[in-house]
Amino acid sequence: MHFNHYGGEAARLAADLVNLTAPPLPEHLEPLLAAHGVVRRTLTAAQAGTVWTWSRRLAVCFGPQDLEERCGAVNALLADASSSPRISLHDGQPHLHYSATGSDVAAHVRAVTAAGLAYVVCSAGAERLGRCARRGCGLAFVDTSRNGRRAYCSVRCANNDAVARHRERRQGERGSSWRSPSPPGEEGTTGPGGRSTTV
């Protein structure tokens, strides 16, 4: 599925921020912002801390949940982002910018990620804000597949989970192949015509 750059890309930025495992240094955040098309991305340590705190709030929007619950979480982000959407023509085509001109980088990240999540919920489907189904992973992702049924954050996780489930089935089959011993007094014998009887 093709997502609008200013909506889908912002949602993918939100997912990558959610997947951070520790408060990042500014120099670690800047390449991540660049990868998602954020032009102004030089942060102070305080701004990096603000982005980290915001990323923990973004996390509740991903994974299976009731639609009303997810919409409530995104609405809370939109309210707290205090963004000022405006139409821009800087590349010759009208499109929305989600933060005010001159806003600091952390404020811009808050605005675009909140708006990006809202875009996915309203235009693509709330269930596309997913969590990896592989046991022990749980990374956030934005499902851009055509049918919207992606369950894993990556092909690697999908393959690893398939291998793990195959092994579990094999172990179950081996376990069920063992015959339980007959209770005392019910040893099997072969009767007339080869039929099994008990004595």
Side-chain angles (χ1 to χ4, degrees), residues 160 162-174:
N160 287 347
V163 170
R165 286 185 281 110
H166 176 70
R167 287 174 177 168
E168 288 175 359
R169 284 195 300 269
R170 291 290 299 275
Q171 290 172 352
E173 290 168 0
R174 284 198 295 268

Side-chain angles (χ1 to χ4, degrees), residues 6-7 10-11 74 77-78 81 83 98 109-120:
Y6 290 95
V74 175
L77 294 174
L78 288 168
S83 63
Y98 298 112
V109 168
R110 288 170 55 174
V112 298
T113 51
L117 296 180
Y119 166 83
V120 172

Side-chain angles (χ1 to χ4, degrees), residues 18-97:
V18 168
N19 293 335
L20 294 172
T21 57
L25 296 172
E27 56 266 33
H28 295 156
L29 266 181
E30 289 164 15
L32 175 60
L33 299 180
H36 292 284
V38 177
V39 177
R40 294 175 55 248
R41 50 183 178 269
T42 301
L43 301 102
T44 64
Q47 289 169 341
T50 297
V51 172
W52 166 253
T53 301
W54 183 252
S55 74
R56 301 309 88 189
R57 294 189 57 191
L58 295 171
V60 301
C61 299
F62 289 84
Q65 57 191 276
D66 177 79
L67 177 60
E68 187 173 347
E69 177 185 359
R70 194 183 327 252
C71 289
V74 175
N75 278 336
L77 294 174
L78 288 168
D80 291 346
S82 301
S83 63
S84 301
R86 60 190 176 84
I87 298 174
S88 173
L89 289 168
H90 72 78
D91 62 358
Q93 295 295 322
H95 57 265
L96 276 174
H97 278 194

Side-chain angles (χ1 to χ4, degrees), residues 120-157:
V120 172
V121 169
C122 296
S123 301
E127 69 281 355
R128 288 182 180 270
L129 301 177
R131 289 275 187 176
C132 185
R134 184 176 71 83
R135 189 182 308 158
C137 182
L139 288 179
F141 65 88
V142 179
D143 180 2
T144 59
S145 67
R146 179 171 296 181
N147 62 13
R149 295 182 180 179
R150 178 177 161 192
Y152 301 94
C153 67
S154 64
V155 173
R156 180 179 180 180
C157 266

